[in-house]
Amino acid sequence: SYVKRYGQDGKLQSDYRFRLHLVANWARDLVHNPILVSAVKDALNDDNILCWSTDINAKFSGTGGFYSWHQDSTYSGLEPSDKVLTAWVALSPSKKESGCLRFIPQSHSEQLPHNEVPSDSNLLSLGQVIPQDILDTVIAKSGEIDPLEAELEPGQASLHHWKCVHSSGVNSSHYDRIGFAIRYMSASVKNIKAVCRERATLVCGDPGDFWDIEPDIQEEYGDKEWNEHKVSMELERKNYFQDSQVTHFK
């Protein structure tokens, strides 16, 4: 398996968690899955779709890892945010007990401030979290008492807006919770904070003018594929971490 090939102590770390669709056929096939892509095109109201990045979200049974309340948009620089979404594909059961995604409805209207609170348990690279007083206000405006729990079976997926406030708790179940996050965007999206021109994968339609297009896999886990992966990851990190002392993803 991919984890056995590239993991450390049974876990994936840093760049090996990201952009798997550039090296692994199974990940590439998920990104291009016609049912998923059709839903993305409807949600973004666009036929010209790119994949900005992908990443494995793993919370192993009993390890205490969690994702704090945050917005995906916070450090990405991708605008307009209405043309970007995350598709979260369950590779294992994702239930309340295993720490499924939790969403606050109607929380996507504005970019909220985040504090950086580094923690080994917070699986977000910068430990970013929306302050509690602001979160309370967002929840009150939503009219919901409790966040929406997005329980999924393997092979199911949820889509959420780039600015939708979400989190996921610890995995208290007896099984691992594994998901594959795909960051889709319309070809019209720009990185407005870019210090370098990034790359993206063409999913369908016209690639537009704002991204260099990544090559398709010729040999799974081949040297050329890993070289292309390295190039894309270096460009993404330069933009994402440009104002931070952190230089790599968890």
Side-chain angles (χ1 to χ4, degrees):
S1 71
Y2 183 82
V3 175
K4 288 182 179 178
R5 279 174 176 259
Y6 303 109
Q8 295 181 5
D9 299 323
K11 299 178 182 180
L12 295 174
Q13 295 181 338
S14 195
D15 288 2
Y16 285 113
R17 285 184 49 231
F18 291 82
R19 293 183 183 263
L20 276 65
H21 66 287
L22 299 182
V23 296
N25 287 334
W26 65 265
R28 188 251 336 258
D29 291 345
L30 277 177
V31 168
H32 293 274
N33 180 278
I35 297 175
L36 183 58
V37 171
S38 178
V40 169
K41 289 166 66 176
D42 286 345
L44 295 180
N45 192 28
D46 204 324
D47 291 328
N48 305 312
I49 304 297
L50 303 176
C51 172
W52 175 54
S53 190
T54 58
D55 52 284
I56 285 285
N57 294 172
K59 287 194 293 188
F60 298 101
S61 176
T63 54
F66 68 93
Y67 290 85
S68 55
W69 287 106
H70 70 284
Q71 295 167 299
D72 291 337
S73 54
T74 305
Y75 300 97
S76 70
L78 302 183
E79 291 290 347
S81 60
D82 286 343
K83 291 294 186 179
V84 191
L85 62 76
T86 293
W88 202 94
V89 182
L91 303 183
S92 69
S94 183
K95 303 293 185 177
K96 292 180 182 179
E97 65 179 7
S98 58
C100 66
L101 281 176
R102 302 176 295 186
F103 301 108
I104 299 178
Q106 304 179 57
S107 61
H108 61 284
S109 62
E110 61 180 321
Q111 179 62 50
L112 301 172
H114 288 59
N115 293 334
E116 294 180 9
V117 185
S119 165
D120 290 338
S121 296
N122 192 341
L123 299 175
L124 295 173
S125 296
L126 293 168
Q128 62 266 34
V129 58
I130 297 169
Q132 189 62 49
D133 59 334
I134 295 175
L135 186 64
D136 290 343
T137 300
V138 172
I139 293 174
K141 286 182 178 179
S142 76
E144 300 288 337
I145 298 175
D146 298 310
L148 175 65
E149 307 271 3
E151 293 191 308
L152 299 172
E153 296 292 346
Q156 293 182 325
S158 63
L159 307 182
H160 64 264
H161 189 283
W162 204 229
K163 286 182 179 174
C164 179
V165 175
H166 62 288
S167 70
S168 64
V170 299
N171 182 356
S172 59
S173 74
H174 64 278
Y175 55 89
D176 298 333
R177 192 221 67 163
I178 312 295
F180 186 60
I182 308 173
R183 320 299 183 170
Y184 289 106
M185 61 185 178
S186 297
S188 59
V189 168
K190 300 179 184 179
N191 190 328
I192 62 170
K193 72 167 205 175
V195 296
C196 61
R197 183 177 171 96
E198 277 188 61
R199 310 207 300 177
T201 293
L202 177 63
V203 177
C204 58
D206 188 320
D209 300 321
F210 305 122
W211 304 84
D212 292 335
I213 300 303
E214 295 160 325
D216 196 6
I217 297 172
Q218 300 300 315
E219 177 187 355
E220 189 172 39
Y221 307 127
D223 290 342
K224 177 178 177 294
E225 282 67 24
W226 277 115
N227 286 334
E228 297 291 350
H229 177 272
K230 179 180 179 181
V231 171
S232 291
M233 286 304 308
E234 286 178 347
L235 295 172
E236 180 179 345
R237 289 199 310 271
K238 283 181 181 179
N239 286 333
Y240 195 89
F241 295 117
Q242 62 176 276
D243 297 320
S244 174
Q245 293 183 347
V246 177
T247 59
H248 285 76
F249 293 103
K250 284 187 176 180

